[in-house]
Structures are given as C-alpha cells and as structure tokens.
C-alpha cells in the first residue's frame, strides 16, 4: 500500500517528542504512574494535532492514517470538506480509545516487569532443599546478635531461631553462648564466595517480592493538586488575563467614545418634525459618494441619530464606506470607513482586545485567556470554600469578606479570594461567551450547534417562480450587505421594501439589503441589540410589495438565543449603560485579583539569609501519586474531553505538564 511520509517539520516534532518521552520514562530513578500517564498522553495528544494541522499538499489526508481517522478541513467556499475515509478528527469513541491505550501502556511500563517475575515464580517451582538464589538470599537482612552496651548479658532476641537454639555453632560462639539482642543488617558475601552456599538465618520471604514504598492515597490530595494547578494558572496565564481585562475595559466605553470622536456624523444638529423620504436620503448620499454600489441602508436607532447608507467599495476589501445622512434635511453629514458597521475607533479597540493587532496569531492570546479564566475561577472557589480553618471559614462573612485582622500574606489572600467570589459569576460568563466565537473553541461550539440543530432558522429569499433560487443572504445584514450584487439598486426599491416590512410589524431600527440577483428577494432585518431585543427578518418582493418569507426571534432555538444574547452582553450592548458599568467593574476587579495574586506570590518568598528568593516557591509536586485511583479513572477522560472541546486549553495544559515533568526529572537528577 505504501504512502508518503509527512514533511520534515512533522518528522522533527515526532523525533523530539519520542526523545523527550524516552528520557522521561527511562532516565528517572523511579518511574511514577502520574509521570508516565502524562508523558504518554501529552505526546499522543501533541502528535495527533501535529498530524491534523499538517495535511499533504492538496488537502488530502495522510496516507498512513486509517479510514475513519481523517480530519475535516475548510474548502474554498468556507464550508467543511471531509477527507476521504470520513470520520471526525477525534470523536468521543476515538478519545476513549486513546485514553484507554495510554492507561494500558502506562500500566505495562510500570508493572509489566513485576507481573512477569511473579508469573515466572509460579511457573518455575523452587528446587528441593533450598532453591532460592544464593545471591538474593545473601543480600537479605539477617539477624546478627549484638552484646549489651555494658558488656553484660544481652536481651532476649526477637528472632525465634536464636531462642530455639537453631543458630549454627559459629553464630552461637559469636554470641558468647548468651542470648543476645539482635539487629538486622545486610550481609553481602565477596564475589569469590558467591558460589559457596552459606546458611544464614532469614525470614521466609517470597523471592519475587520486591518491597516498594507506596504513598497513601487520599481525597485530600485533590486539594493539593488544585493548589498547584491554580498556582500555575495564576502565574503563567494571568498576564494574558490582565491584557484582556485592560483592553476589554477600554472597549467597554466605545459608544461614548464614538459619540465624542464622531458625534458630528452620528448625530443630527436639530431634531426635526418630519422625516424626508428614504429615496431622497439615498440619492443625496449617492450624489456625494458615487463610488461603489449600494450594499444596505440602516434606519436611525433614535430621533437624534443619522441614517446610514452603506456602500460596497472594492478597494476597501472587507471594509465598507458608510455615508451619514440627516433624515430631516437629507443633508450628508460625513462618511467613515467602517467594518461590519463599527467605526474606525471601535474597530481598532476591538482588534486590540481580540488579537492585539496581530491577526489570527494574536487571537490565540485571547483564547488562552478565555480558556483558562474559568479554570482559575472554579479552582479558586473550590480552594476558598473548602478550607477548614475555624468557624470563620465556614461562615458567609468569612467567604464573602476578607479578615480585617489578618496581616501579611493572609490579608492579601483574603482580599484575593473574597474579590474572586464576588466576581465569579461575571468572569464565568465572560469566559463562556468569549469562547463561543474564539478561533478553535468557537469552531467546536459551531459543531455543537450543528449537531443540536441550534442555528438560527434560515430565511427563504427565493422569489416564487424563480428559476435559480438563491441561498439565504440575510445573514449579511449588518456585515456589508450583498457582496454578490454588481449593479446599483434603485433607491425607490429601498423605500418599497421598508414600507412592506413596516406593514408586517417590523419596528425600530432595521437594515434593508438589496438582493444578490434577480431571483432573490429583498431582506429587511431588525437590528435592535438592546433588551428587549428584536431580530425578526422578512423577505420582500418589491415588485408586488408582498412579504414572501419571515423568521421570528421567538422561533430561534434556545442555544442560538443564549449565544446571541451572550455576545451582546459580552460587548456591553444588551442592557445599555448598566451593562457597561458591570463590565467595567469586572475588568477592574479582575485586574485587582491578578495584582493581589502576584503580591501574594512575592510575600511567600523565603526571607532567610542563607536561602533568599525573589518569589515564593511553587506548591509541591507529586499529588497525582496520592490521588485515589477512582479520581484518576474519572478525571483523565474528563480532562481529555475538555482538551478536545477546548483545544487551546488542552494544548497549553499538556505543555505545562510536560515542562513541569521535565523540570522535576532534572531536579531529581541533580539531587541524586
């Protein structure tokens, strides 16, 4: 069958991963279950995603991959294209199989040799008259009598062989004929006498039994694991959260900033008594700006706002040129280059918050922040609510308010934790809504909507009796209109479409979008994002003035409603000024929590003269070894599922664990 190998980059990643894995599994003095599972699982996870994101030229799947293990990619039109062989990139069954294989391999690595030795002991019986290995027997602890410190008679021996008189004469002579106190030492004969059989009193141990020190497992170790996870989430991810909080705080006030900077274009000078016809307003805008084509027209949200005539200009790419017209005088107030209806200032702040003006690569920062925010919040809540020091820890006051009598690190910890409790719900909301339109987690959320039929109902824009019905172009409302239209639409048709929509009951601010072709209808969509929201849409045949199709906000699935409302709340639009104040308080509170966290880290530093340090030490590692097996069995698949649902969280967590394991192995070697 054959097939081609992946590229040099993938092979290099494979070689590096296998080298690190072999060094970690074989190089340490003691192989631990947690280390082996983490290394195997992280390596498998990393290699899986490396092959996933490195397809062969042409988009085909790797020939070495079996059927059913191919990965979906994006086609030229933006839709999903499945590789030959079908299947998902990593479905639930495949995830479970990977987890089971990882656990099974770890058990074989750790306990395979011991199991084989026990099987060998059962299959090969001992020889009569002492078939034990003389080397193993000679190396075992034996009872050697020792005289009392004062030279007097020794104490009664704890070894029954000495009291019964079964000790050889040479040993009794060494004891001086008295019963002596016995201490256990290890006797190893010289290499030249290994073949000589020496009768040494010893306990009847199983020669295949290798004594090992097993740490006690307890559910309290879960707390220690959470402490370490919360610590590293705070130290390593807090900078991303701080940047997101500061940029989000700036974005919160964009409505006020837009009015301050662009007020002469967004507002009218004087509210008049009568509104001029929409056809006249569009004609005035086209006379001032004849470039491009008419993409859409947005009616004023309020009596003091201007009408927006949106033009599609090829030179602007995905941006549009928006002309602002006074609806009472039909006078052009000015124009702006907008992005999906946002002003240049709002667009700049939005890019700063989403990707730091670094494009798709910069979006990883915001997704890291959103992916880890809920982990830090939930972990902090569990640690703070689960502490058991005195009555104050179990009282509502002790949970919601810091201890004013505390000093130093305890006072800082109290402020850090109490503020986190007050901010928890809001931060969880920001994390969840931010992930819905993130780069990788948002793609997973889109799959969930598709699987649960949670998308918005499609508006049928095909005109009755049309030969080539078109798709639903109404989703372009608010995003530049119909990109497929090349000829300029008649301004009179805008007026006819708006009149039909008003007759159908669409009030408030609406966006009127011309059809993409002659076989499609006009689309009028409500764009009222403030509670109570209005998102009804209608398709209008301007020739007859009839509404050919309609979708209502009340008919949207629950998941779609939650997603859309969550996005508007995340942007500070849903509840107006109250929404903005709440977001500002969340951003300021998160900033304070992060600062207190770093201050607490600094206050916990060693201050002794012999071992000074700039920051505190990390919590001890090794909690995985002491967690109950039931917690591991349930936790490992749960973490694997989270890593699939939130790929950035899974990759960064695997990276943290591998780095931590490597650092631990290096430190153990240095102290060995």
């Amino acid at each position: 069958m054959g097939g081609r190998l992946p590229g040099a980059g993938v092979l290099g990643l494979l070689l590096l991963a296998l080298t690190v894995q072999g060094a970690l599994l074989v190089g340490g003095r003691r192989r631990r279950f947690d280390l082996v599972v983490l290394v195997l699982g992280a390596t498998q996870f990393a290699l899986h995603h490396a092959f996933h994101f490195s397809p062969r030229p042409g988009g085909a799947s790797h020939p070495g991959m079996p059927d059913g293990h191919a990965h979906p990619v994006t086609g030229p039109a933006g839709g999903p294209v499945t590789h030959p062989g079908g299947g998902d990139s990593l479905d639930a069954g495949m995830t479970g199989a990977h987890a089971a294989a990882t656990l099974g391999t770890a058990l074989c690595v750790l306990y395979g040799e011991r199991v084989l030795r026990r099987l060998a002991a059962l299959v090969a019986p001992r020889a009569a008259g002492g078939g034990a290995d003389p080397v193993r027997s000679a190396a075992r602890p034996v009872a050697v009598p020792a005289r009392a410190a004062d030279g007097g008679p020794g104490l009664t021996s704890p070894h029954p062989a000495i009291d019964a008189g079964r000790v050889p004469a040479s040993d009794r002579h060494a004891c001086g004929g008295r019963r002596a106190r016995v201490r256990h030492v290890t006797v190893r004969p010289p290499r030249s006498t290994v073949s000589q059989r020496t009768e040494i009193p010893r306990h009847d141990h199983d020669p295949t039994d290798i004594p090992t020190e097993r740490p006690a497992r307890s559910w309290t170790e879960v707390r220690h694991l959470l402490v370490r996870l919360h610590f590293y989430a705070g130290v390593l991810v807090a900078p991303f959260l701080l940047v997101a909080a500061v940029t989000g705080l700036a974005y919160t006030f964009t409505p006020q900033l837009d009015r301050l900077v662009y007020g002469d274009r967004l507002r009218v000078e004087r509210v008049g008594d009568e509104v001029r016809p929409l056809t006249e307003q569009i004609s005035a805008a086209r006379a001032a700006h004849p470039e491009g084509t008419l993409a859409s027209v947005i009616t004023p949200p309020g009596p003091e706002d201007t009408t927006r005539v949106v033009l599609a200009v090829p030179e602007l790419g995905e941006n549009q040129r928006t002309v602002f017209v006074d609806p009472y005088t039909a006078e052009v107030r000015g124009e702006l280059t907008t992005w999906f209806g946002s002003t240049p200032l709002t667009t700049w702040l939005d890019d700063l918050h989403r990707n730091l003006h670094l494009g798709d690569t910069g979006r990883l920062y915001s997704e890291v922040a959103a992916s880890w925010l809920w982990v830090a919040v939930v972990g902090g809540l569990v640690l703070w609510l689960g502490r058991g020091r005195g009555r104050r820890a179990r009282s509502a006051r002790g949970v919601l308010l810091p201890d004013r009598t505390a000093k130093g690190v305890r006072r800082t910890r109290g402020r850090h934790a109490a503020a986190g409790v007050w901010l928890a719900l809001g931060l969880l909301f920001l994390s969840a809504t931010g992930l819905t339109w993130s780069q990788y987690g948002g793609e997973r959320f889109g799959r969930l909507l598709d699987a649960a039929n949670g998308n918005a109902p499609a508006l049928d824009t095909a005109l009755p009796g049309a030969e080539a019905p078109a798709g639903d172009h109404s989703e372009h409302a608010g995003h530049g209109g119909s990109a497929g239209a090349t000829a300029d639409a008649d301004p009179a048709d805008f007026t006819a479409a708006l009149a039909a929509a008003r007759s159908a009951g669409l009030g408030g601010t609406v966006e009127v979008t011309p059809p993409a072709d002659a076989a499609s209808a006009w689309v009028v969509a409500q764009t009222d994002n403030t509670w109570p929201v209005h998102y009804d849409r209608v398709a209008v045949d301007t020739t007859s003035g009839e509404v050919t199709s309609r979708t209502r906000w009340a008919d949207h699935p629950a998941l779609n409603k939650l997603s859309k409302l969550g996005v508007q709340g995340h942007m500070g639009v849903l509840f107006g000024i109250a929404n903005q104040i709440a977001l500002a308080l969340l951003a300021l509170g998160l900033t304070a929590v992060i600062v207190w966290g770093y201050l607490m880290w600094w206050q916990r530093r060693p201050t002794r003269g012999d071992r000074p340090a700039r920051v505190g030490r990390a919590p001890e590692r090794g909690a995985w070894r002491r967690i109950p097996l039931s917690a591991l069995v349930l936790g490992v698949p749960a973490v694997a599922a989270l890593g699939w649902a939130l790929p950035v969280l899974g990759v960064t967590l695997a990276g943290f664990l591998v780095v931590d394991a490597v650092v631990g192995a290096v430190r153990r070697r240095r102290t060995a």
Side-chain angles (χ1 to χ4, degrees), residues 22 27 41 64 67 93 116 159 174-175 206 210 213 216 303 305 342 370 492 561 569 626 647 656:
D67 293 342
L116 290 177
H159 200 294
C175 296
D206 185 356
I210 303 176
E213 182 181 353
D305 298 318
S342 299
K561 288 183 177 180
R626 300 183 293 271
F656 291 163

Side-chain angles (χ1 to χ4, degrees), residues 24-393:
L24 290 175
L25 295 182
V26 181
R29 291 182 302 168
R30 177 181 297 177
R31 295 190 291 266
R32 296 163 19 194
F33 180 77
D34 61 323
L35 179 62
V36 174
V37 170
L38 290 178
V39 171
L40 291 175
T43 305
Q44 190 170 171
F45 186 82
L47 292 177
H48 181 91
H49 281 74
F51 282 108
H52 172 59
F53 289 112
S54 60
R56 290 174 55 196
S61 59
H62 290 286
M65 284 190 176
D67 293 342
H69 204 284
H71 306 285
V73 297
T74 303
V81 177
T82 305
H83 291 315
D88 198 359
S89 61
L90 193 61
D91 55 11
M94 186 61 64
T95 302
H98 281 306
T102 301
L103 292 175
T105 305
L107 291 175
C108 291
V109 171
L110 289 174
Y111 305 111
E113 183 178 358
R114 183 179 303 178
V115 171
L116 290 177
R117 286 183 178 179
R118 291 184 179 273
L119 291 176
L122 294 176
V123 173
R126 303 180 185 179
D133 186 3
V135 177
R136 184 184 299 270
S137 302
R140 289 188 173 276
V142 297
V144 178
R147 291 180 178 271
D150 56 356
L155 301 178
T156 302
S157 169
H159 200 294
I162 295 179
D163 293 333
R166 293 194 299 267
V167 181
S170 58
D171 292 340
R172 287 198 298 270
H173 177 74
C175 296
R178 304 183 183 93
R179 292 188 298 180
R181 179 166 49 90
V182 176
R183 53 188 176 92
H184 291 273
V185 297
T186 300
V187 178
R188 295 183 181 273
R191 292 182 180 271
S192 59
T193 59
V194 169
S195 59
Q196 300 176 1
R197 186 173 301 276
T198 305
E199 296 293 337
I200 301 179
R202 59 180 179 84
H203 297 288
D204 190 14
H205 292 294
D206 185 356
T208 62
D209 187 13
I210 303 176
T212 57
E213 182 181 353
R214 297 182 180 179
R217 297 184 179 272
S218 172
W219 284 98
T220 58
E221 296 300 327
V222 178
R223 175 180 175 83
H224 296 161
L225 180 63
L226 286 178
V227 169
R228 188 169 177 84
L229 179 63
H230 188 74
F231 171 81
Y232 277 113
V235 171
L236 301 177
V237 184
F240 298 95
L241 295 174
L242 184 61
V243 173
V246 173
T247 57
L249 179 63
Y251 183 84
T252 300
F253 300 104
T254 51
Q256 289 75 19
L257 294 175
D258 280 344
R259 293 177 184 177
L260 180 64
V261 178
Y262 310 113
D264 57 336
R265 279 157 280 195
L266 300 178
R267 299 280 186 130
V268 299
E269 288 186 353
R270 184 181 63 86
V271 177
D273 298 329
E274 184 178 354
V275 177
R276 307 296 290 269
L278 187 60
T279 303
E280 187 176 345
Q281 300 179 47
I282 297 174
S283 298
R286 294 300 288 155
H289 295 276
E291 68 276 9
T293 57
L294 281 169
S296 63
V297 174
I298 304 174
T299 61
E304 70 281 358
D305 298 318
T306 56
T307 301
R308 303 186 182 190
V309 180
V310 183
L311 306 177
V313 182
E315 299 82 41
L316 298 179
E318 63 177 0
N319 296 328
Q320 305 89 34
R321 176 157 296 150
T322 301
V323 183
F324 300 89
V325 182
D326 189 331
Y328 304 104
T329 62
E331 176 187 357
V332 175
R333 302 280 297 171
E335 59 85 23
L336 289 173
T337 299
T338 58
W339 181 73
F340 297 129
S342 299
T343 65
L345 178 59
T346 299
T347 302
W348 191 88
L349 291 174
D350 178 67
D351 284 342
L352 180 66
H353 181 63
R354 287 192 308 124
N355 55 34
L356 300 178
H357 296 283
L358 298 176
D360 290 339
T361 303
R363 292 184 65 183
L364 290 174
Y365 116 84
S366 59
E367 188 162 358
V368 168
S371 299
W372 279 93
L373 178 58
W374 70 271
V375 177
V377 171
V378 173
L381 285 176
V382 172
L383 294 175
W384 183 245
L385 297 177
R387 75 196 196 285
R389 297 180 180 178
R391 296 180 179 178
R392 180 177 176 82

Side-chain angles (χ1 to χ4, degrees), residues 568-621:
Q568 300 304 322
H570 190 110
M571 298 175 65
V573 178
L574 187 59
F575 298 108
I577 188 65
N579 202 158
Q580 292 179 271
I581 294 175
L583 289 179
L585 292 177
L586 284 174
L588 293 174
L590 179 59
T591 303
V593 168
I594 294 172
V595 171
W596 281 326
Y598 279 112
L599 178 60
M600 184 166 52
W601 186 29
W602 177 77
Q603 289 175 331
R604 291 180 59 252
R605 74 193 188 282
T607 57
R608 295 181 179 179
D610 56 342
R611 292 184 179 180
R614 295 182 179 179
V615 293
R617 297 176 180 174
E620 64 173 352
R621 60 169 53 87

Side-chain angles (χ1 to χ4, degrees), residues 391-609:
R391 296 180 179 178
R392 180 177 176 82
R394 294 187 291 271
S395 64
R397 180 180 179 85
V399 171
L400 300 176
L401 298 175
D403 188 2
R404 295 183 179 180
T405 62
K407 296 181 180 180
V409 67
R410 291 185 63 247
R411 178 173 59 183
T412 306
R413 184 188 298 113
R415 293 175 177 176
H416 173 87
V421 172
W422 285 97
L423 301 173
L425 286 179
L427 296 180
L428 291 176
F429 167 78
L430 291 179
S431 177
T433 54
L435 286 171
T436 56
W437 78 81
S438 60
Q439 188 171 8
Y440 297 104
E443 189 266 339
R444 295 289 198 267
F445 182 73
R447 293 189 188 183
L448 174 63
L449 290 179
D450 294 338
N453 295 324
N455 293 307
L459 180 68
D460 185 9
T461 59
L463 292 174
E467 296 181 0
D472 180 15
H473 298 277
S474 60
E475 287 298 331
H476 292 288
H479 301 278
S482 55
T486 56
D488 212 9
D490 187 357
D493 289 336
F494 282 91
T495 303
L498 179 61
R502 296 299 190 196
S503 301
L506 270 67
T509 179
V510 297
E511 181 171 9
V512 184
T513 306
D517 49 50
S520 301
W522 286 66
V523 175
V524 183
Q526 290 180 314
T527 57
D528 187 2
N529 296 320
T530 305
W531 186 266
V533 297
H534 299 90
Y535 295 125
D536 288 4
R537 298 179 298 165
V538 294
V540 179
D541 183 0
T542 55
T543 303
S544 61
E546 296 180 355
V547 174
T548 61
S549 180
R550 178 168 186 164
T551 61
R552 293 176 172 82
W553 170 246
D555 298 332
H556 284 225
L559 275 178
N560 180 264
K561 288 183 177 180
L562 290 175
S563 174
K564 197 171 186 66
L565 294 177
V567 168
Q568 300 304 322
H570 190 110
M571 298 175 65
V573 178
L574 187 59
F575 298 108
I577 188 65
N579 202 158
Q580 292 179 271
I581 294 175
L583 289 179
L585 292 177
L586 284 174
L588 293 174
L590 179 59
T591 303
V593 168
I594 294 172
V595 171
W596 281 326
Y598 279 112
L599 178 60
M600 184 166 52
W601 186 29
W602 177 77
Q603 289 175 331
R604 291 180 59 252
R605 74 193 188 282
T607 57
R608 295 181 179 179

